[in-house]
Every structure is written in C-alpha cells, then in structure tokens.
Amino acid sequence: MKTITVLSRKGGSGKTTLAVNLALMAFLAGRKVMLADIDPQRSASDALKARTAPGPSVFEGGGGKLFHVKSNAMREGYDYLIIDTPSACEGDVAQAVNLTDLCLVVGRPSFLDLAPIVRTAEAVRRLGKGGFLVLNQIHTSKPDATPTASPDILEVLHLCGLPLAPHGLRSRDAFQKAMAQGRCVAEWEKAGPAGRDMELLWAFVETNLDGQQPAMPAALAG
Ligand SMILES: Nc1ncnc2c1ncn2[C@@H]1O[C@H](COP(=O)(O)OP(=O)(O)OP(=O)(O)O)[C@@H](O)[C@H]1O
Ligand SMILES: [Mg+2]
C-alpha cells in the first residue's frame, strides 16, 4: 500500500480538491482506496458523501489515529491511503507526513502563495520525506496550452528543494462543479482540459510514488 499526503500551509490552495480527485482517479482505475480526512472542516468527507456512485472509503479523525488507520488499511488490502490535511494543526500534519510515501505540496502560482509553499516544502524536507510541488488554479487563456507558472515564480519554486510536478491543474469551474457531486473532474469532463490535467497528473503520481528525496535548496547548498 502507498500513502500520499496532500498538504500546504496556505488555506484554499487546493488540498481537498487534489486529494479527492487523486482518490477518485485511483478508485476509478480499480484500486482499493481510503481517503483519510484529518481536516476538522471535513470538506473531503463532505464531497465524497455527496457521491452517489461507489467511491473510496473515508476515515474522519485526527492525525493521532493515522497509524492505526494505516495499519488496518494495509491488513485489509488497500492499495492507497490518501490523506487530506488542514492548513493549520502542524502536529497532525507532521503525523501524516511521517507515515507517508509521497508528499504533494499544492499551491497556486501566485506571489502570496510562494512563502507558504516554501515553508511547507521545508517542513517536508525536515521530516526527511520526498515529494513534489503541484501547481493548482493556474490561469491560462489557451485551453490547449500546458498550464504552468510565470518564469519568476518558477525561479522561486526551484529554490525550495522539492521538484515541481511536470503537470499542474488549471483553474476551471469543472473542479468546483464536480466536487459538489463528489465526482472526479475526469468523470465530469473527461475530454476537457481539467480532466486531461488530472489524468496527466495522476499518471505522473502513480509512476513516481516513491517521490524524489528532497534536495538541498540551491540557496543553501555549498
Ligand atoms: N483547479 C481549480 N479550479 C477552480 N477552482 C478550484 C481549483 N482548485 C480548487 N478550487 C476551488 O478553490 C477553493 C479552495 O479549494 P480547496 O478547498 O480544495 O482548498 P484547500 O487547500 O483544501 O482549502 P482549506 O485550506 O480550507 O482546506 C474551493 O472552492 C475549490 O472548489
Ligand atoms: Mg481542504
């Protein structure tokens, strides 16, 4: 079983959106999936409760319960445990990261998100875990263009010591509409840009589940 934690100290950066969509992508690919919602807001659980079709199992509770959740899930033959975290509650988030194979630090490519992204990546590095940055809510006017950030933002992200996933998620209403029905954006608009972004990101995540060991940020190296 592989455990993936989605985290960011910045509220509203897209943790729940990413965690729920990843859990559903894995489930729809035939995997046995548990989503652990350790955010007291319980947004991920709410989203999956709105789902009418079969979906991932859900655990709701604090980070202190994750060890038992993980042990039980392993015993029950789950393929994935995906953890949605709150932006605060650092102790709970650290417990999630500690038992994780892959951390995904999610953030918007905007000036105000940069410092929280860098601090979150530092926390992942301090705990000796690997992972990737995932850009979310990327604004792009061309539906066929690869969503990415501006060169100055990419330069700062490059310094934070976690590699950037090559596929990000653009800003699309489909993410909000699909979530309201507990559906994955790839179910909602499979052939559309949001669905394609999610398919590419999931394929990348599934082939890089051991993460990359965090590198020393260039600013601190030698
Ligand atoms: N790619 C996207 N395109 C459009 N809307 C998005 C996208 N990603 C997230 N959103 C919307 O942005 C808002 C915040 O997203 P989300 O709840 O996933 O963030 P979060 O990091 O989990 O927030 P919190 O810190 O409160 O837990 C939600 O309304 C969500 O529907
Ligand atoms: Mg959330």
Side-chain angles (χ1 to χ4, degrees):
M1 187 182 81
K2 291 290 183 184
T3 303
I4 302 172
T5 293
V6 182
L7 71 163
S8 169
R9 291 188 180 186
K10 182 78 175 171
S13 56
K15 297 177 288 294
T16 299
T17 301
L18 182 58
V20 168
N21 274 278
L22 289 175
L24 285 166
M25 289 300 290
F27 179 83
L28 294 169
R31 314 277 190 250
K32 190 169 177 184
V33 184
M34 175 164 301
L35 186 139
D37 184 356
I38 65 163
D39 183 349
Q41 292 185 102
R42 303 285 182 253
S43 307
S45 318
D46 286 348
L48 289 177
K49 279 176 196 158
R51 184 175 176 85
T52 48
S57 310
V58 178
F59 162 79
E60 300 178 4
K65 302 249 173 71
L66 283 175
F67 179 77
H68 289 294
V69 171
K70 179 169 176 169
S71 311
N72 289 341
M74 287 171 79
R75 214 176 32 246
E76 289 165 20
Y78 278 84
D79 298 302
Y80 287 107
L81 172 63
I82 296 179
I83 307 174
D84 182 28
T85 62
S87 44
C89 310
E90 288 190 18
D92 276 8
V93 178
Q95 303 208 48
V97 170
N98 271 329
L99 47 76
T100 282
D101 298 295
L102 181 74
C103 291
L104 297 177
V105 175
V106 59
R108 291 162 294 211
S110 79
F111 174 73
L112 290 178
D113 278 42
L114 286 178
I117 291 174
V118 170
R119 280 199 292 273
T120 310
E122 270 169 18
V124 169
R125 274 203 328 271
R126 266 202 310 277
L127 293 165
K129 292 292 176 169
F132 298 95
L133 305 179
V134 177
L135 291 180
N136 181 36
Q137 297 195 50
I138 303 169
H139 288 283
T140 164
S141 49
K142 298 181 189 142
D144 292 330
T146 304
T148 187
S150 61
D152 50 336
I153 293 218
L154 290 175
E155 201 178 324
V156 176
L157 294 178
H158 182 65
L159 297 177
C160 83
L162 279 190
L164 184 63
H167 307 287
L169 304 175
R170 72 196 78 212
S171 182
R172 296 280 297 178
D173 284 352
F175 280 100
Q176 299 176 17
K177 290 178 178 157
M179 185 69 74
Q181 296 188 10
R183 294 173 72 189
C184 170
V185 75
E187 294 173 281
W188 187 266
E189 58 157 42
K190 191 168 177 53
R196 281 203 310 273
D197 287 351
M198 201 59 227
E199 302 261 10
L200 287 169
L201 180 59
W202 170 243
F204 172 78
V205 167
E206 209 173 22
T207 49
N208 289 275
L209 281 166
D210 293 322
Q212 284 188 17
Q213 278 311 303
M216 180 75 84
L220 302 178

